[in-house]
Amino acid sequence: MGVRILLLLLAFLSACKGESMKPLPYLSEKPVRSFQAPEPVLEPGKDYYARLKTTKGEILLDLLEKEAPNTVNSFVFLALHRYFDGVVWHRVIPGFVAQTGDPTGTGRGGPGYTFGLEIAPGLAFDREGMVGMARTQDPNSNGSQFFITLAPTPHLTGQYTLFAKVVEGMEVVRRLASTEGPGAGGERDRILGVEILVKE
């Protein structure tokens, strides 16, 4: 009897998971796209998530603030200034990655600042739904562009900062319009907005 009650309680808590997250207020009414540096916005001990609202649906990310604190702080800072609102998924390669975060849509834009790699032992791009920072050949060129893996991409491990994981909406990522390969060339999908959530 006790085990059955415990299982029911666990199922109830799991069902209520989304209700226990509180959205943070935005720091800007309109998108701000240029900064000299990100300000500290993370509170110690808090568990952060991000809800990406896209033209194909919603994607929920668990942000890895312990493993990549600088990267997550930058991402949250930009999101709270509505930086990602309206930004296209400019590079979507089936079986590889879906990339976004550049307001210019060219793959060359950024927030006005850059920062270095954060590589956490034990984290790997070993399955779909892993979220990493895009960069140039310079390891200190992280900015605002990020990608979500569409398959295991082990060759990226140790080369790119892994700062989040998709926990809901992977089917949405798979439906994003391709920019390369068969079926590419149509209208690109967009991020409508990013909401930052704190688990209570």
Side-chain angles (χ1 to χ4, degrees), residues 1-11:
M1 187 69 177
V3 173
R4 188 175 177 186
I5 291 172
L6 180 59
L7 288 173
L8 287 170
L9 180 60
L10 286 173

Side-chain angles (χ1 to χ4, degrees), residues 54-74:
T54 80
T55 45
K56 283 289 184 1
E58 294 187 356
I59 305 161
L60 183 65
L61 307 180
D62 181 1
L63 302 177
L64 306 176
E65 61 280 337
K66 291 179 182 176
E67 293 83 355
N70 292 335
T71 307
V72 171
N73 183 78
S74 173

Side-chain angles (χ1 to χ4, degrees), residues 52 75 84 98-101 131-134 144-147 163 191:
L52 278 57
F75 180 85
F84 300 107
Q99 188 168 318
T100 185
V131 187
M133 289 301 297
S144 59
Q145 294 187 44
F146 64 95
F147 59 85
F163 73 98
I191 293 177

Side-chain angles (χ1 to χ4, degrees), residues 28-192:
S28 174
E29 291 295 318
K30 296 179 180 179
V32 182
R33 299 260 163 78
S34 182
F35 301 92
Q36 292 196 343
E39 298 169 10
V41 289
L42 299 185
E43 290 187 46
K46 299 282 188 179
D47 190 9
Y48 290 86
Y49 288 75
R51 179 179 289 123
L52 278 57
K53 300 175 183 180
T54 80
T55 45
K56 283 289 184 1
E58 294 187 356
I59 305 161
L60 183 65
L61 307 180
D62 181 1
L63 302 177
L64 306 176
E65 61 280 337
K66 291 179 182 176
E67 293 83 355
N70 292 335
T71 307
V72 171
N73 183 78
S74 173
F75 180 85
V76 170
F77 173 79
L78 293 174
L80 293 179
H81 284 89
R82 302 182 184 270
Y83 179 91
F84 300 107
D85 291 15
V87 173
V88 298
W89 294 84
H90 67 270
R91 187 176 183 231
V92 181
I93 305 173
F96 183 40
V97 299
Q99 188 168 318
T100 185
D102 173 12
T104 72
T106 65
R108 296 186 294 273
Y113 62 83
T114 57
F115 57 96
L117 284 175
E118 289 182 289
I119 305 299
L123 280 182
F125 292 98
D126 54 2
R127 60 180 176 82
E128 67 174 7
M130 307 305 279
V131 187
M133 289 301 297
R135 63 174 178 84
T136 66
Q137 297 297 318
D138 180 357
N140 294 312
S141 61
N142 289 333
S144 59
Q145 294 187 44
F146 64 95
F147 59 85
I148 302 175
T149 59
L150 290 162
T153 53
H155 61 287
L156 302 182
T157 300
Q159 304 298 314
Y160 296 84
T161 301
L162 199 167
F163 73 98
K165 300 176 183 180
V166 174
V167 290
E168 290 177 18
M170 192 61 213
E171 71 282 356
V172 174
V173 185
R174 296 188 204 106
R175 291 199 305 265
L176 293 170
S178 300
T179 61
E180 297 183 31
E187 187 174 348
R188 295 184 293 182
D189 284 302
R190 293 181 177 273
I191 293 177
L192 302 176

